[in-house]
Amino acid sequence: MVDSTPSSSPSPSMPPSATAAAAIPFRSDPDLRGDGVGLPAAALACLLVLAAAIVVLKRWGPGSAALPARRLRAVQVIESVRLADRTRVSVLRYRDRELLVAHSEHAIAVLSDEAATPAAGDAA
């Protein structure tokens, strides 16, 4: 007659580590489970921080009236065109002058130097 009750001794076909792991009961840690409030609270906190960042950027961000206007650069590149791989012709504005400049890898040449004409947006 064959006994159907499990024996407490490990069978020769099972490795000892498998029987040791099977003997340890599973227990959940109540600290890691949480009460279900953590994720929604974290999502709400992230949304509040995002909303605050949007308000701050709209009020004090770039181009706002609350900050002083940025000083225009002394040299402005009006237009630049590539003539060859390493050669360009550029129109530069410096104070009240417009310069037509050719520049390459090893040289710069001023082709024209004239008084700047007011642009359509500059006329008051």
Side-chain angles (χ1 to χ4, degrees), residues 44-96:
L44 181 62
C46 287
L47 287 174
L48 288 175
V49 168
L50 180 65
I54 289 172
V55 168
V56 166
L57 285 175
K58 281 190 175 186
R59 182 168 178 130
W60 293 291
S64 70
L67 294 176
R70 281 194 224 172
R71 185 178 69 87
L72 291 176
R73 293 184 178 265
V75 177
Q76 295 175 342
V77 178
I78 306 300
E79 189 173 351
S80 185
V81 178
R82 183 190 316 225
L83 297 178
D85 283 341
R86 295 183 178 154
T87 305
R88 297 181 81 87
V89 173
S90 301
V91 177
L92 307 176
R93 179 174 287 158
Y94 177 71
R95 295 185 183 170
D96 61 344

